[in-house]
Structure formats: C-alpha cells, structure tokens
Amino acid sequence: MATPIPSLNQLVSQATGLFKQMFGDEAPKIAACAPGRVNLIGEHTDYNDGYVLPMALPLVTVVAGSASPGREASIITASEHADEPRRIDLRLPNEGFSPSAGLPKEGLPLAPGLPYWANYVRGVIHHYRAHPLPGFRAVVVSSVPLGAGLSSSASLEVALYTFLQQLKPDDGDKISKAVACQQAEQTHAGVPCGIMDQLVSVLGLEGHALLIDCRPLESIPVPLTDPGLVFLITNSNVKHSLASSKYALRREQCENAAAILGKASLRDATMKELEASRDHLGDVAYRRARHVIGEISRTVRAAEYLKQGAYQEFGKVMVESHNSLRDLYEVSCKDLDDLVEAAMEVEGVFGSRMTGGGFGGCTITLLKWQVIDRTIQHVQERYGGSATFYVATPSGGARALQLS
C-alpha cells in the first residue's frame, strides 16, 4: 500500500516538541513550510532554458523557531545524517548580500563547509535579500525523503527563506525568492541546478501542475482535478547525490552542444539544426542535445494533453521521455528502468517515467485510481518488495504558518 504522508499539523507538532526539547520549555513563535515536488515531464530542460511540468507535493519541510538576542543563529535538524552533527551555530553577517560580492571570504562562518547538509542553510542566509538578520533559533523537520529526487534540498531552502521573511521581511517578490534559493544551492551546496525545484516550491498551486517556461520564469497552471486520475510516486530507495553524480557533466555537455550549434542555449535549437551539425558535435553531445530538444517539445505537448484529458497520449510521451533519459541522456539506472517496465504491465496504467535528476530516486506513474493497489502489488512483486509509494496530490507552495 502507499506510504501514509504525515499531516502538516503532525510535522508542526514534531517541530514544536523538538524546539522545546533542544532550547528549553518555551514554544517557537514563528514557522513556515515549503513542499517537495515531483516533475511530471520535462527533465534536464530547466538549465537549458526549456519547459518543465512539475507539481508541488504534500511532502513538506517545516522550519519553526524564534528570534533570539545577539548575532547568532542556531539550527537543529530532526533528520539523521550519518556521521554529521544535527546542530549548527552560525554568526550572522552584518551587511546585506551583494550579488557582485560572490561567496564570503574563506574562513567566514557562512562559507561552505561541514556538515554538508548545513550548506543549504548557510547558502540561504547568505543569499537572503534583506539584512542584517536578527539572531534566531530554529528546528527543521521534513517528510520529503532525502536523495529520492523529490527535491528535499529546494524544500529546505524555500522553507528556511520563508521563515527568514518573518524575522526580517524582504520585498516579497516570489521569483526573486526562488532565484535566491537556487543561488544558495549552486554556491554553497555545489550543485549547478536549474530553477525548476525552487520555483515550484515557491509557486505551487493546489490542484494544479505548473507549466514553467524557465527562460522568462513564467508559469501557467495546468488543472489536475479529474477524480479518476492519479499520479503515483515510486521510490526505488536507490539514493542519489546530484553534487557527486554526473549532473554537472550533463549540464556542461549541453552548454558545449549549444555553443557548437551557435545558440545561447539548447532551447533555441531545432532537430533539423541538430541533425545538420551532427558530425561536428560528436556522439555524446549529439545524444544529450537530442534528448533536451525532444524533451522540451514533449513537455509542451504533454501540458496540452493534460488540459484536454488525453491521458493515453500523455502516458505515451511519459514513456518516450523515460526512454530518452535512459538511452540519450543516460541518467536512468536498472532500478528505475525495472520500475517503469513493471508499472507499464498493469492494465489501467497510462504511462510511467523516471523523475528528477536521475541515477536513482523515483518514478512517476499516471494511472486510474481504481488500479492503485493492483499496481503497487505488481511493482512490489516484480521489484522485490523494497520500493515505497506515495500518492502524489498537487499541493500548495511555500507559506508562513500560524502557531497557536
């Protein structure tokens, strides 16, 4: 059966209890949450200025805390990170962030360092758009599984940023907020990520996916309200790490291919132009570019299929997307391929594909709600019983929470 998702109230209660335990009897005064996401289609297109079609999930990260005297921040995570401290203490910067200044000088407390998970915290504070921040104490709890390709990192970044907005408000611009969180991941966690994860975590809309154009950073809501339609997330439980994977290499290969084609990005290239330059690109660059150009087109078509209720057609482009990620972009793995193959054997399943950066993580499957249990049982039997499942409900984006 599908894994139950903790309610937001349960996470807030957990955060409140942890805060009292770690910082004394006083309850936290402010809290915020931000969701993880699943991408329905449009993989590795965001950093190529293309289209993506994600939705926010009921899996969320909660940050709860209070302002404190002085210039110190103490953050505690409830997540168990092997061999890493759960608490970090930082001296907050006195001056506002300047985009031209880059990273702090070596040795300052907000430079990247250990433990690694805290780099997301350091990065968000560094890139926050209103300084100086007051001192604060906070705890972080999350229902977003780590390393599953459901954007636990963006969920943390955006939740913390939303928490900081209550301590010292910025101008409230949502796009700039998402960009600041993206910069935090790039500069401090060392992941050259695109903008999709942070944007949908900020802008997520209940009952809708978002068709995001990653060049102007504009989004169009795509309704997902058909009661007979379900998206099922299957976690392979094969962990991935974008920083240590070949994610950065894929981005570099795309940028090189665009340069050979004389384009600012692969968003501007056509299949005809790609085929005409095939001999100049080499096999690897050609295949990477072919995936991206095809995936951008598939994503636009997929959004239209959803709007029309054309689920068979949507399912077909999901499978096409997976095959392209497997064969051309080479970011799938046997576990993900097996999960897709098993899901597609069940009558009532429209389509299935890997989702997220790849090299492990999850698949997303479109199916009729009546066959959820049958699909889970069949996939468990074929996969060996080690997968976990979530029913993906399109949910709202980041928000401040009222504490009683």
Side-chain angles (χ1 to χ4, degrees):
M1 61 181 295
T3 301
I5 295 176
S7 71
L8 183 57
N9 287 339
Q10 288 175 314
L11 292 176
V12 170
S13 177
Q14 181 186 353
T16 299
L18 180 60
F19 188 88
K20 291 179 178 179
Q21 174 188 339
M22 302 304 297
F23 295 118
D25 292 333
E26 186 175 344
K29 298 291 194 299
I30 57 176
C33 71
R37 65 93 190 97
V38 66
N39 192 22
L40 305 183
I41 194 168
E43 223 64 76
H44 292 276
T45 53
D46 56 347
Y47 55 81
N48 288 290
D49 290 341
Y51 288 90
V52 292
L53 186 63
M55 69 183 190
L57 294 171
L59 298 161
V60 300
T61 298
V62 170
V63 178
S66 300
S68 60
R71 306 293 306 130
E72 303 294 325
S74 297
I75 302 98
I76 294 172
T77 173
S79 300
E80 294 293 345
H81 297 262
D83 303 320
E84 290 192 348
R86 296 173 60 196
R87 173 170 177 160
I88 58 165
D89 296 286
L90 302 172
R91 178 167 57 85
L92 295 169
N94 291 317
E95 298 180 0
F97 168 67
S98 171
S100 62
L103 289 172
K105 294 179 181 178
E106 185 176 356
L108 291 182
L110 295 190
L114 295 175
Y116 177 75
W117 68 266
N119 285 333
Y120 297 99
V121 174
R122 297 183 182 104
V124 170
I125 294 172
H126 175 74
H127 288 277
Y128 189 69
R129 300 172 58 249
H131 281 272
L133 284 164
F136 66 91
R137 300 178 300 177
V139 297
V140 179
V141 299
S142 185
S143 58
V144 187
L146 300 177
L150 300 179
S151 203
S152 58
S153 57
S155 177
L156 169 59
E157 293 153 10
V158 175
L160 178 60
Y161 195 105
T162 308
F163 174 85
L164 297 179
Q165 285 178 305
Q166 298 174 81
L167 286 175
K168 185 176 180 64
D170 64 357
D171 62 10
D173 185 83
K174 291 186 175 183
I175 301 299
S176 297
K177 173 181 177 176
V179 171
C181 291
Q182 177 198 24
Q183 291 171 336
E185 187 156 342
Q186 290 178 339
T187 60
H188 283 68
V191 180
C193 61
I195 191 63
M196 171 180 65
D197 297 354
Q198 292 82 8
L199 267 181
V200 71
S201 189
V202 171
L203 301 176
L205 187 61
E206 186 174 351
H208 295 76
L210 293 180
L211 178 64
I212 299 174
D213 185 340
C214 295
R215 172 165 282 167
L217 303 185
E218 295 175 350
S219 61
I220 299 172
V222 179
L224 292 174
T225 55
D226 188 330
L229 177 72
V230 172
F231 283 100
L232 181 68
I233 296 171
T234 305
N235 188 354
S236 69
N237 288 308
V238 175
K239 301 295 184 183
H240 77 161
S241 170
L242 294 183
S244 61
S245 73
K246 297 179 180 178
Y247 182 95
L249 176 60
R250 295 300 186 278
R251 181 164 187 164
E252 180 183 349
Q253 290 167 339
C254 289
E255 291 169 350
N256 291 340
I260 293 172
L261 291 170
K263 306 294 183 181
S265 71
L266 289 177
R267 162 70 177 271
D268 300 315
T270 65
M271 281 294 186
K272 183 177 180 180
E273 291 170 332
L274 177 66
E275 294 300 333
S277 300
R278 182 168 185 170
D279 293 341
H280 301 289
L281 287 165
D283 180 61
V284 172
Y286 167 79
R287 288 186 287 117
R288 304 296 185 256
R290 186 172 179 84
H291 163 74
V292 171
I293 297 169
E295 187 79 349
I296 291 172
S297 174
R298 279 189 290 270
T299 303
V300 174
R301 285 187 285 126
E304 288 301 315
Y305 292 147
L306 277 186
K307 292 176 184 177
Q308 299 164 9
Y311 304 136
Q312 293 284 1
E313 289 79 4
F314 186 91
K316 289 177 182 177
V317 294
M318 289 181 76
V319 175
E320 290 173 9
S321 171
H322 180 81
N323 293 343
S324 180
L325 288 160
R326 180 193 65 202
D327 300 333
L328 298 177
Y329 220 68
E330 297 181 285
V331 291
S332 188
C333 63
K334 185 179 186 303
D335 296 83
L336 296 175
D337 296 341
D338 289 347
L339 288 174
V340 168
E341 181 179 344
M344 292 304 299
E345 292 171 348
V346 180
E347 186 176 353
V349 169
F350 295 109
S352 186
R353 59 182 290 277
M354 61 153 278
T355 184
F359 312 104
C362 294
T363 63
I364 181 74
T365 301
L366 175 65
L367 66 162
K368 297 178 180 178
W369 72 267
Q370 298 97 325
V371 301
I372 293 176
D373 291 340
R374 187 191 316 159
T375 302
I376 291 174
Q377 181 179 354
H378 181 75
V379 171
Q380 286 283 40
E381 291 172 353
R382 288 270 276 104
Y383 189 64
S386 58
T388 51
F389 303 84
Y390 302 94
V391 175
T393 306
S395 303
R399 57 201 181 275
L401 302 173
Q402 296 296 322
L403 298 179
S404 56

